[in-house]
Amino acid sequence: MNTIIEAFDAVVDTSLAWLIDEASGFFAAISTGMEAAYGASNTLMMFAPWWVVVLIVALVGWRVNGVLFAITAAAGLWLCQAMGLWTETIATLTLVFSSTLLALLVAIPLGVLVGLSARWKHSAELVLDFIQTMPPYIFLLPGIALLGYGPATAIWATCLVAIPPALRLTAHGIFMTPAQYCELGSAVGMKPVSQVLKIRLPFAIPSILAGINQSLMLSFGMVVIAGIAGSGGLGQTIYEAVRTLKIDLAVNAGIAIVVLTIILDRISQALCTTEKGAV
């Protein structure tokens, strides 16, 4: 058994060393591109004054969750600004949105394909279970080795963590489409692609939205962990505060993370509920 483990470890180390030696330019280009996209997105999000962002969030919160939530969300975001963490708050939102968007671009199309077959769905669930049960820190290691320290590694690791729930719930929604709906589509001459677009996808929308909500929540957790890789934002603020024993700063950054998580969770959950009611 020890021999097998040693052989596996040797293969992993050799493969990683080969990638670093032979494809360093490729990964450097990816890292540069990801960090440039992150920087541009963050600059765009920082363009609006903090009070404009607070007002927009309050209006959206009032529209989807009522007046009390709007007031609470506005107060929470004002607190982030009052604690001097507005720049870090926006950087965290940029990381979360960027990572989740990349994850969804992979997870939703792949989830649709996986959900078309019970065998594919079962095989995919084994892989997703493996990814979701791995310690999140593990995903930082290849990112640091190949992409270096910085936002690129944080986006890579966060994207990887955010893919499983969206993929799993998308596949579930597609797979659980009632058979009689598909049979009716076949009876009227609909092709398989049309059945997916016009029958399966609309039926799966509530499940897909629930997957988006779960991906957002997991992204927040991973962004905080990615602070040790120089991700920027509140994650790095917490890491630096813990490393230098600045308890007050760590608590403030933790409160800001809680505020952001609750706001996005409640808004995305409200959207899911609205969509379920429409369906």
Side-chain angles (χ1 to χ4, degrees), residues 19-20 23-35 145-148 152:
L19 284 174
I20 293 173
S24 58
F26 172 74
F27 288 108
I30 291 179
S31 177
T32 301
M34 292 174 69
E35 293 191 4
L146 299 173
L147 301 175

Side-chain angles (χ1 to χ4, degrees), residues 130-152:
F130 175 79
I131 294 175
Q132 289 187 287
T133 53
M134 287 288 285
Y137 288 98
I138 297 298
F139 303 128
L140 289 173
L141 299 179
I144 292 172
L146 299 173
L147 301 175
Y149 284 87

Side-chain angles (χ1 to χ4, degrees), residues 61-186:
W62 169 72
R63 178 66 179 84
V64 302
N65 252 335
V67 175
L68 180 59
F69 173 77
I71 295 173
T72 305
L77 290 176
W78 170 84
L79 182 61
C80 294
Q81 190 276 334
M83 292 187 298
L85 294 172
W86 187 252
T87 300
E88 291 79 3
T89 298
I90 295 300
T92 300
L93 282 175
T94 304
L95 285 170
V96 169
F97 288 152
S98 300
S99 304
T100 305
L101 177 61
L102 289 176
L104 295 178
L105 290 176
V106 174
I108 292 178
L110 192 56
V112 171
L113 292 176
V114 168
L116 297 176
S117 167
R119 183 168 59 182
W120 292 355
K121 184 172 180 290
H122 177 69
S123 300
E125 285 177 348
L126 294 177
V127 177
L128 296 177
D129 288 341
F130 175 79
I131 294 175
Q132 289 187 287
T133 53
M134 287 288 285
Y137 288 98
I138 297 298
F139 303 128
L140 289 173
L141 299 179
I144 292 172
L146 299 173
L147 301 175
Y149 284 87
T153 292
I155 293 173
W156 142 263
T158 305
C159 178
L160 193 59
V161 168
I163 285 175
L167 198 159
R168 188 189 298 273
L169 287 171
T170 299
H172 176 74
I174 295 294
F175 185 75
M176 294 303 294
T177 304
Q180 57 267 32
Y181 290 3
C182 298
E183 292 171 358
L184 179 61
S186 299

Side-chain angles (χ1 to χ4, degrees), residues 96 99-100 158 161-162 214-224:
V96 169
S99 304
T100 305
T158 305
V161 168
Q214 293 301 305
S215 292
L216 280 170
M217 296 305 99
L218 288 176
S219 292
F220 268 109
M222 190 62 208
V223 161
V224 174

Side-chain angles (χ1 to χ4, degrees), residues 54 56-77 258-271:
V54 172
I56 292 173
V57 172
L59 289 174
V60 173
W62 169 72
R63 178 66 179 84
V64 302
N65 252 335
V67 175
L68 180 59
F69 173 77
I71 295 173
T72 305
L77 290 176
V258 171
V259 168
L260 291 180
T261 304
I262 291 176
I263 289 173
L264 284 185
D265 180 48
R266 295 298 184 270
I267 290 177
S268 59
Q269 279 192 11
L271 292 175

